[in-house]
Each structure stands twice: as structure tokens, then as C-alpha cells.
Amino acid sequence: MNIILFGPPGAGKGTQAIKIVKNFGLHKVSTGDLLREEIKNNTDLGNKIKSIMDKGLLISDNIINDLITKVLSDKKFYNRLIFDGYPRNLEQAINLDLHIKKYKQKISCVLSLDVDKESIIKRILGRQTCTNCGLIFNEYFCPASNKNHSCDPKFLNKRSDDNEKTILNRFETYLNKTLPILDFYKEQNLLYHINGMAEIDQIFDKIRSIIASLET
Ligand SMILES: [Zn+2]
């Protein structure tokens, strides 16, 4: 079983990826990890990647594709991958398709955690951390009160609203890049939409039932 997980920044994709890995024994593939691993192992490719990154340049699709091919050809991970944050554009999706077939594997399902823009902003900007005890609250979804928090409210630390524009930009970029990829998988009947605004456990229950429906 190979899974692709999509979701905009702030949708809780990382949390769900960890749960999927744990419950289904999958191996998580993120391009960031692959790049860091290559650099750490001091390979020729790793040195090339490092010099590109040191110059502040973007890593090309070709290099990313080479790294993904390496994972797909590794028997250790045969048919038990979860792709997190990849593919990032339609070209990468087409390339993945090609190599998945080449190594006699398939994508079992594509999970898209859907959240609306307003909620993402509230989730990220409403986040409050208590600098005294470390508890995390959200002024919109889970506000601190004397029922759930015993410290003085002065300890609650909130990110500045200046971040709103950055968050919106990241969200728009995600939508623009991701919608064509989702269409690509929809045509192959692999796409499942999941309400990313639900509770963490509810989201995971939904994911579990989708996976169960695939295996029968
Ligand atoms: Zn506290």
C-alpha cells in the first residue's frame, strides 16, 4: 500500500502522517528528509545538493525525481510508502506515476485534508502558548479559561498578526500548485477528500476507514 497525503500548511498533515506510519507500518517519504539524508551521507548527489542549497537556489525537479526513484527501487520499502509533501507539482506527479509503474507498485489512495482559508488563519494566528506551563490553546477553537488553565493569562503568548499575509500566500500557493495534481488523481479514481477541520482522532478514523475499504 502506497499513500499520498495532501493538505495545506496548518491542516495537521504532519500529525496524521505520524499516525498512519505508526498504525500501518508505512515508511514516510518527504523530500526534505531525503535531501538532508543525502547530504548527511556525503554522496556525490548530496554534495551537489549542498552546494545548490548553500547558494540559496531551488533544488530542481530532476534531483527530486532521482531521490524518489531511489526510494521506489529500494526493496525495503516496497509498497509501503506514504508520500508527505510530494508530489509538489503536476510534473512530479507524472514522474511518480511513471516510476511507480516501472517498479511494479501502485498508488493505493490519495488523501486530501481539506480546510478553508478562514479556518487555517484562525488555527495558526489564534494559537497561544503559555510561557509558564507550555500548554497550547487557541483563542478561537480552544480558548484558555480558568477551567482548563491555572496560570495567569499574562503568560499566554500569541504570534503577531503580521503573519497573516505570509500564511495566506502559502495557502494560495498550495492551492494553485495542488489543484491540478488532485485532478490528475481524481481522474484515476484515487482521490479521497477528508474534512481537515474535524478533530485529530476523527480525521484519523476517516483515514482508517478509507484504507480498510481499499483492502477488502
Ligand atoms: Zn500555563
Side-chain angles (χ1 to χ4, degrees):
M1 176 171 65
N2 293 317
I3 296 177
I4 301 177
L5 188 60
F6 283 109
K13 193 161 54 84
T15 309
Q16 296 299 331
I18 292 169
K19 280 176 162 287
I20 296 170
V21 164
K22 229 170 150 183
N23 278 268
F24 299 98
L26 300 186
H27 176 74
K28 191 178 93 155
V29 179
S30 93
T31 50
D33 289 347
L34 292 176
L35 291 168
R36 278 186 290 274
E37 183 85 350
E38 207 68 30
I39 293 172
K40 201 182 83 192
N41 291 340
N42 241 323
T43 60
D44 286 348
L45 185 59
N47 293 330
K48 195 172 151 193
I49 292 166
K50 191 172 183 305
S51 84
I52 295 170
M53 283 174 140
D54 285 347
K55 285 182 201 137
L57 300 170
L58 278 180
I59 303 296
S60 70
D61 273 2
N62 279 340
I63 290 181
I64 300 287
N65 289 341
D66 283 351
L67 291 173
I68 294 289
T69 308
K70 225 168 150 178
V71 177
L72 285 173
S73 62
D74 193 331
K75 292 215 164 57
K76 248 192 343 262
F77 306 133
Y78 180 80
N79 252 336
R80 50 181 213 89
L81 298 170
I82 173 162
F83 295 94
D84 176 6
Y86 175 92
R88 228 178 250 282
N89 54 48
L90 191 56
E91 291 73 26
Q92 289 185 351
I94 291 168
N95 179 76
L96 175 63
D97 214 39
L98 217 73
H99 285 92
I100 273 258
K101 282 177 186 145
K102 183 176 164 194
Y103 291 103
K104 311 229 177 316
Q105 303 188 45
K106 62 176 184 133
I107 299 294
S108 312
C109 62
V110 175
L111 307 173
S112 172
L113 293 182
D114 298 335
V115 284
D116 61 274
K117 196 157 67 181
E118 287 309 304
S119 311
I120 281 286
I121 290 172
K122 284 182 176 173
R123 251 193 204 187
I124 298 175
L125 292 182
R127 194 177 294 160
Q128 293 177 312
T129 313
C130 177
T131 53
N132 190 42
C133 69
L135 282 178
I136 295 167
F137 301 95
N138 186 296
E139 62 174 319
Y140 304 103
F141 302 117
C142 169
S145 70
N146 51 16
K147 288 201 183 75
N148 59 14
H149 190 219
S150 53
C151 309
D152 192 302
K154 74 175 181 198
F155 290 113
L156 290 172
N157 196 4
K158 195 170 159 277
R159 286 175 28 167
S160 113
D161 283 356
D162 302 343
N163 291 319
E164 182 164 343
K165 216 174 154 192
T166 317
I167 295 163
L168 273 180
N169 279 339
R170 273 162 58 199
F171 189 77
E172 297 293 340
T173 309
Y174 169 81
L175 288 186
N176 292 339
K177 292 270 183 197
T178 310
L179 287 182
I181 314 176
L182 294 183
D183 282 343
F184 175 75
Y185 289 117
K186 193 178 166 197
E187 280 166 25
Q188 302 178 50
N189 280 324
L190 292 174
L191 180 63
Y192 294 83
H193 285 283
I194 296 168
N195 174 16
M197 291 317 298
E199 294 293 321
I200 289 174
D201 289 337
Q202 282 177 318
I203 296 176
F204 186 65
D205 282 347
K206 177 77 189 163
I207 292 174
R208 211 201 310 254
S209 75
I210 291 169
I211 291 174
S213 77
L214 299 171
E215 286 170 339
T216 51

